[in-house]
Amino acid sequence: MSFGTEAGFFAELGLSTVVIGPDDMASDGHKPDEGISKSELIACCAMMDNILNTLTTDG
């Protein structure tokens, strides 16, 4: 793949690591003329809102 993250570094420190984001990096990420559709960005924002709500809700 033509991309990378710091996930491996954090995992080596013993931290649970998840890489998330919109669209499909394998088919479009970090390539000439890459792009993300508006619907993918909206879905990603909703997912991030759900994660934030889950992490900040008492219970």
Side-chain angles (χ1 to χ4, degrees):
M1 299 272 176
S2 60
F3 62 93
T5 73
E6 291 81 13
F9 172 77
F10 293 121
E12 286 181 8
L13 294 175
L15 300 171
S16 297
T17 307
V18 177
V19 178
I20 57 176
D23 217 12
D24 180 9
M25 288 296 294
S27 66
D28 193 35
H30 301 309
K31 296 180 181 174
D33 298 322
E34 70 180 319
I36 300 172
S37 69
K38 185 176 179 180
S39 63
E40 288 284 342
L41 289 174
I42 291 169
C44 185
C45 286
M47 177 188 65
M48 296 300 286
D49 284 342
N50 287 335
I51 291 170
L52 180 61
N53 289 333
T54 298
L55 293 174
T56 58
T57 301
D58 291 337

